[in-house]
Amino acid sequence: MEDVLAAREHRLVQAARNGDRGAFADLVREAAPALERLALRMLGHRQDAEDVAQDAVLRAWRELGGFRGHTRFKAWICRIVVNRSLDVIRRRKPVTPLFETAGEARGADPVAQATENEIETLLRAEIENLPPTQRATLLLRADQGLSYDEIAYVLGSNRNAVRMNLVAARKRLAEKLRGIVDLGGEAGR
C-alpha cells in the first residue's frame, strides 16, 4: 500500500514539475490540514499559522524544481512550514496559544471533559514553552508522524540530534507534568 502511495506521489510531483497545477493542488490538498495544524501548534496563533501555511504552499510551488524526491513531499513541505514558523518565532515573542481542545468535539460527560480539557491545556502550554527546536521535533514526530530521518531532513539536522531533542522534550514535559498527569511508569512506584 505504501509503495502505491509513494508511486502516486511521485507521479503527482513529476506532473506538478511539468506545470500541472491540478497535480500540485492534489499534493497540497493531502498535506494542507497537517501543515496548518503544525504551524498552529508551532506558533499558537491562528492567523500567523494560516499565513505560514499559505506561504509554505507558495514557496513549494516556486521551488518544486529543487525538490529532489529523496523524502516524501509532506516532509519537504513540513520543512518549509517549520523554517517559516521559526522565522516568525524569532521575530516575535510567542503569544498565548490558541488551541482547539479535543474534548469539546467528543461530547464526553462534563466532569471528565473538564478534567481532560485542563490536562490538555496544561500539556499544550508546556509544549508551547519548549525551545523551538524541541517543540518542532516533538510535533513532527507525535503530530505529523514523521520518521526520525524525515524530521532530521525537515530540521536540517541528523538522527542523533532528533533523538536528543525528543528525549529532552519528553523529559522536560514529564518533569513539568509529574504529579499532575499519570505519565505511566513512575506513578505507581
Side-chain angles (χ1 to χ4, degrees):
M1 178 74 172
E2 194 170 310
D3 290 338
V4 172
L5 294 176
R8 178 180 179 277
E9 180 179 281
H10 181 73
R11 283 192 305 275
L12 288 172
V13 168
Q14 291 307 317
R17 280 184 173 158
N18 291 327
D20 184 342
R21 290 177 185 233
F24 185 74
D26 286 346
L27 288 166
V28 169
R29 193 173 8 267
E30 292 172 14
L35 300 178
E36 291 171 7
R37 189 173 53 248
L38 175 60
L40 180 60
R41 291 191 175 168
M42 285 288 299
L43 298 169
H45 186 267
R46 184 168 302 284
Q47 186 60 50
D48 286 347
E50 289 172 0
D51 291 346
V52 164
Q54 288 174 4
D55 184 51
V57 170
L58 291 173
R59 286 181 186 210
W61 175 252
R62 286 192 309 260
E63 298 172 14
L64 194 58
F67 175 58
R68 291 174 181 73
H70 61 277
T71 187
R72 293 185 303 168
F73 177 81
K74 179 181 176 182
W76 181 69
I77 199 166
C78 277
R79 181 177 186 162
I80 296 170
V81 168
V82 167
N83 287 339
R84 185 69 181 99
S85 295
L86 292 173
D87 290 343
V88 170
I89 289 169
R90 281 186 209 99
R91 281 196 299 263
R92 68 156 165 84
K93 182 179 177 181
V95 297
T96 304
L98 171 67
F99 290 106
E100 300 164 9
T101 58
E104 292 173 356
R106 287 199 264 289
D109 84 73
V111 174
Q113 184 176 340
T115 302
E116 185 176 324
N117 286 347
E118 288 174 29
I119 291 169
E120 187 170 340
T121 299
L122 283 170
L123 180 60
R124 292 189 187 281
E126 291 305 328
I127 290 171
E128 179 74 20
N129 289 327
L130 289 171
T133 303
Q134 288 180 12
R135 183 183 333 152
T137 304
L138 182 69
L139 292 173
L140 288 167
R141 181 67 176 164
D143 193 47
Q144 301 299 316
L146 297 185
S147 70
Y148 284 18
D149 288 333
E150 289 171 325
I151 295 168
Y153 169 78
V154 168
L155 298 177
S157 185
N158 61 55
R159 284 180 61 93
N160 260 357
V162 168
R163 281 191 200 110
M164 289 176 17
N165 279 315
L166 278 175
V167 167
R170 290 172 177 157
K171 181 179 179 182
R172 187 170 174 164
L173 289 176
E175 288 170 359
K176 295 288 187 177
L177 299 174
R178 186 170 284 121
I180 298 170
V181 178
D182 178 14
L183 298 173
E186 293 196 23
R189 291 183 190 176

